[in-house]
Amino acid sequence: MRRGFSLGRSEALACALGLLLASSGGALARPFTDAAGRTVELPDRIARVLPAGPPAAVLLYSLAPDRMTGWVSAPRPEALPFLEPRTRTLPACGRLTGRGGTANVEGVLAAKPDVIVDSGSLGPTYASLADKVQAQTGIPYILLDGSFASTPKTYRQLGAALGLQAEADALAAQAQDLIDAVAKAIGSTPQDQRPRVYYARGPRGLETGFAGSINTELLEMAGGRNVAEGGDGRLGSVSPEQVLAWNPDVIVTLDPAFATAIRTDPLWRDIRAVQSGRVYVVPQQPFPWFDAPPGINRLIGLRWLAGLLHPDLFPEPMPDVVRRFYQRFYHVGLDPEQAAALLRSAVPDTAR
C-alpha cells in the first residue's frame, strides 16, 4: 500500500522553491483530467517526467524512456542488459508513494520534472497525497489507474498527458491484443478444471496475496485458481499447515532459493506442486513478470503463466513471445540465448 510523502523543510520554503521551478519551466497551458477525476494544469511541452513509484516507472519507461528524470531505485546490474542503454545510468530519485517513501521535497525539485506521474490505486488517500505534493512543489502531479485490466486505457491516458498519443495508442493496442488472446484461449476451460495455484512470497514462502489482491490478479487472468481465498483482497501471512491443506497444483514464487529449498523441505516436499515439479520462479529482468511491482511488467507475465498453466492452449514458442515483447515494450532486441536464459531461470530443475 502506498504511504505518505516526506516533506523535508518547511512548507513555505518548499512552496516557494516549487513556484520558482514551475515559473522557469514554461507556462501551464492545458487542463488534463487524470484517472482519479482530478483536473491538473499541464505544461504545453513535457520533456522531463518523474515517476512517483515503481509501477509508474515501468509504465513511463515503456512509453517514453527519453523523458524519465530517473528511476525510483537504481536498476540492479543484472537488469542493465535488458534496458534501453540511455536509461541504464539514470539516477535513483526515490519514491513518493509506497512503503517507506524515500523522496522528499528537495529531491523532487532537484530532479526538475515538468510533471509527476503515479500509477496505482485511485482512492481518496492517493488523490490527497497528489494534491499535497503538487501544492508543496508547484509541479503538476497526475494519477493513473494501475489495475491490470485498465492497462490499455492507462497507456492512452498517459499518452494524452505527454503528447505521445500515437505511441501510446500502439502500446495500448498491443497490450489489449495480448490480454484478449489469453482470455480467448482459456475461456472455454471450466473453472473446476483450472489449476489451483499458490503464490509464495518471501524467503519462507508464507506470505501470499489473497483472492482479489492486486498482487495476484494476474493469476486468475492466466487461467488459475488462487487457493488463498478470503482475506479481503490483501497481502497476508499463512501457516505451513494452511498451505498443506490447500495442497496447490502449482506454486509461483519470485525467490529462486525458496523454489530450490522446498524440494527437500519436510514442510513442502509432499505438496502436489512440489511432487509434480510445478514450482515456477518468476523471471526477474529487467522487472519481475509477476508482481513487484504490480505494473505493466505483468503483461509478459500473463502470457508466461498462462502458457505454464495451460501449455496445450499456447503453441507459439515462448522465446518468440519474449523477444517480441521486449522489443516493443522495453526497447531492447534480445538474441535467442537471452530470451532462452530468462525462461530457463524461471523453471528450476525439479527432477527427483
Side-chain angles (χ1 to χ4, degrees):
M1 178 179 290
R2 297 180 293 186
R3 298 185 188 275
F5 173 53
S6 175
L7 297 179
R9 300 178 183 175
S10 69
E11 295 185 2
L13 175 60
C15 187
L17 288 171
L19 291 174
L20 177 63
L21 178 65
S23 66
S24 68
L28 298 176
R30 57 191 172 98
F32 174 82
T33 302
D34 71 8
R38 301 165 54 253
T39 299
V40 180
E41 294 290 329
L42 297 180
D44 185 57
R45 179 177 179 275
I46 294 175
R48 294 177 59 80
V49 186
L50 176 71
V58 182
L59 174 69
L60 178 61
Y61 168 75
S62 66
L63 176 61
D66 58 323
R67 301 194 187 189
M68 296 178 69
T69 62
W71 297 100
V72 173
S73 56
R76 300 176 303 278
E78 56 268 30
L80 298 181
F82 300 94
L83 293 172
E84 202 267 356
R86 60 188 159 176
T87 68
R88 295 171 186 173
T89 57
L90 288 174
C93 298
R95 61 192 299 165
L96 296 173
T97 60
R99 296 176 180 174
T102 54
N104 56 29
V105 166
E106 291 84 355
V108 171
L109 294 175
K112 299 182 180 180
D114 299 311
V115 65
I116 299 168
V117 172
D118 193 12
S119 175
S121 300
L122 302 175
T125 298
Y126 310 118
S128 176
L129 174 63
D131 290 340
K132 181 179 290 186
V133 173
Q134 184 170 288
Q136 293 287 328
T137 63
I139 300 168
Y141 187 132
I142 62 173
L143 289 171
L144 301 175
D145 190 344
S147 65
F148 188 78
S150 296
T151 297
K153 180 180 179 181
T154 294
Y155 266 124
R156 294 187 181 96
Q157 197 162 31
L158 180 59
L162 302 187
L164 295 172
Q165 195 67 69
E167 296 90 335
D169 287 349
L171 289 178
Q174 292 160 11
Q176 191 66 64
D177 287 347
L178 191 155
I179 292 169
D180 290 346
V182 171
K184 181 179 180 180
I186 66 173
S188 60
T189 304
Q191 283 291 329
D192 61 1
Q193 294 181 23
R194 299 185 179 192
R196 301 172 64 256
V197 185
Y198 175 69
Y199 175 36
R201 288 172 55 103
R204 299 178 60 221
L206 294 177
E207 182 184 44
T208 195
F210 289 89
S213 166
I214 191 174
N215 306 89
T216 58
E217 59 182 342
L218 201 68
L219 193 159
E220 289 88 355
M221 295 185 73
R225 289 181 289 159
N226 190 349
V227 297
E229 298 179 346
D232 299 325
R234 59 176 175 82
L235 291 174
S237 297
V238 297
S239 67
E241 292 77 15
Q242 179 61 78
V243 180
L244 286 168
W246 283 329
N247 196 21
D249 304 306
V250 173
I251 293 174
V252 175
T253 180
L254 276 71
D255 190 331
F258 167 77
T260 298
I262 62 174
R263 292 167 53 188
T264 56
D265 188 328
L267 291 175
W268 295 86
R269 64 187 180 192
D270 293 329
I271 290 175
R272 184 179 296 114
V274 180
Q275 287 285 311
S276 63
R278 301 191 75 184
V279 178
Y280 302 125
V281 180
V282 177
Q284 304 288 312
Q285 309 306 335
F287 318 106
W289 292 7
F290 185 106
D291 196 19
I296 66 93
N297 43 300
R298 296 176 294 171
L299 281 166
I300 185 63
L302 173 64
R303 173 60 180 80
W304 167 75
L305 184 57
L308 291 174
L309 298 181
H310 304 279
D312 295 342
L313 301 179
F314 297 91
E316 183 179 8
M318 192 63 198
D320 294 345
V321 177
V322 171
R323 295 179 68 193
R324 185 168 61 248
F325 180 88
Y326 274 55
Q327 184 69 58
R328 293 175 177 175
F329 287 85
Y330 291 164
H331 319 290
V332 291
L334 301 185
D335 60 42
E337 175 54 31
Q338 285 177 304
L342 283 170
L343 296 165
R344 277 199 303 271
S345 66
V347 185
D349 178 11
T350 54
R352 297 175 64 97

